[in-house]
Amino acid sequence: MPTIKLTYFDFHGGRAEPARLAFSIGGVPFEDHRFAGTEFPEIRKFTPFGQVPVLTVDGVQVTQCDAITRYAGKLAGLYPTDPFQALLCDEVMYVVEEANVKIGPTFRMKGEEQKAARLALVEGSMPVYLRWLQKQLLAHGGEYFADNRLTVADLKVFVDVRTLNSGRFDHVPTDLVEKVAPALNEHMRRVSSLPEVAAYYAKFSA
Ligand SMILES: N[C@@H](CCC(=O)N[C@@H](CS)C(=O)NCC(=O)O)C(=O)O
């Protein structure tokens, strides 16, 4: 097994969380390098795009969250080997990432500007993404997004749905998912109650 280090902000969410979960569920040893927001200016100096997450595999630095998550999924047995199922898995991950890219710039905004930008997403692209994800989930049996089993696509959606519900995004109503795509909340609850996922989070509250 290679020596793996995953560097990201110290919170339960964001672009590294699906990979953290995948490594943990699969029992893949990795260094979970978490840092505080105040350390970011220093950390980013050592990344090619000034962004995180970054993964180091045997000393080789790699960027791009979904590439990292897919790699974690392959090592953990949470990525389909069937090409079509892998395609379905990738599609879901790209859709979630596209939503992430849209909300990203709003973190640099303040006050009324941020409120207007977030409300535009809540009334615009967010419900479109959420409804599409719900449709995909239901079209594939309602339990998992691909391969009839837990994959990194489930982890990626799980992390984002949990964040949307959490109130961490000011001006995004915490009942948005429930109103627009309630099956995603059922999926989120199912994933959080998986023993490996529950054990992963229990570690932090111990
Ligand atoms: N395309 C990159 C985007 C990474 C990204 O935007 N990360 C955010 C944190 S979640 C960041 O580092 N933002 C700081 C910035 O872009 O200045 C990926 O998929 O990993």
Side-chain angles (χ1 to χ4, degrees):
M1 195 57 83
T3 301
I4 297 171
K5 176 178 174 183
L6 179 55
T7 298
Y8 195 65
F9 294 103
D10 185 13
F11 74 102
H12 292 326
R15 287 184 164 102
E17 188 75 352
R20 285 174 179 154
L21 278 166
F23 284 137
S24 302
I25 293 169
V28 178
F30 77 108
E31 182 187 340
D32 187 4
H33 175 212
R34 292 162 177 264
F35 62 86
T38 49
E39 295 173 79
F40 186 46
E42 194 54 29
I43 297 265
R44 72 191 307 175
K45 287 184 195 160
F46 301 95
T47 73
F49 307 115
Q51 295 177 329
V52 288
V54 288
L55 187 77
T56 326
V57 182
D58 284 340
V60 178
Q61 194 188 51
V62 180
T63 64
Q64 306 310 315
C65 63
D66 280 352
I68 292 169
T69 301
R70 220 167 279 123
Y71 173 72
K74 286 174 187 170
L75 293 186
L78 296 172
Y79 188 75
T81 50
D82 174 78
F84 181 64
Q85 294 304 321
L87 175 65
L88 295 178
C89 187
D90 288 351
E91 183 187 25
V92 165
M93 292 174 70
Y94 277 119
V95 167
V96 175
E97 195 48 33
E98 216 167 274
N100 289 345
V101 165
K102 286 206 162 73
I103 200 155
T106 68
F107 285 99
R108 288 186 281 273
M109 298 174 186
K110 295 215 180 327
E112 286 305 309
E113 187 197 12
Q114 185 185 67
K115 184 174 178 182
R118 295 237 167 122
L119 289 182
L121 293 177
V122 167
E123 282 152 27
S125 63
M126 274 186 184
V128 175
Y129 289 132
L130 291 169
R131 281 196 195 98
W132 182 87
L133 286 167
Q134 174 169 267
K135 192 160 91 39
Q136 282 302 99
L137 181 66
L138 298 178
H140 295 103
E143 214 166 330
Y144 300 112
F145 281 94
D147 224 14
N148 289 316
R149 67 188 180 100
L150 186 77
T151 67
V152 282
D154 297 290
L155 300 180
K156 182 99 181 170
V157 176
F158 162 75
V159 168
D160 267 36
V161 165
R162 229 175 41 139
T163 303
L164 286 174
N165 288 339
S166 71
R168 199 168 71 81
F169 294 158
D170 288 343
H171 315 297
V172 175
T174 53
D175 61 355
L176 177 69
V177 177
E178 192 58 31
K179 280 197 171 138
V180 168
L184 296 183
N185 268 344
E186 283 168 38
H187 170 267
M188 183 269 296
R189 286 190 283 271
R190 200 166 36 251
V191 172
S192 45
S193 64
L194 293 172
E196 298 88 346
V197 174
Y200 171 76
Y201 288 113
K203 238 177 26 189
F204 293 92
S205 47

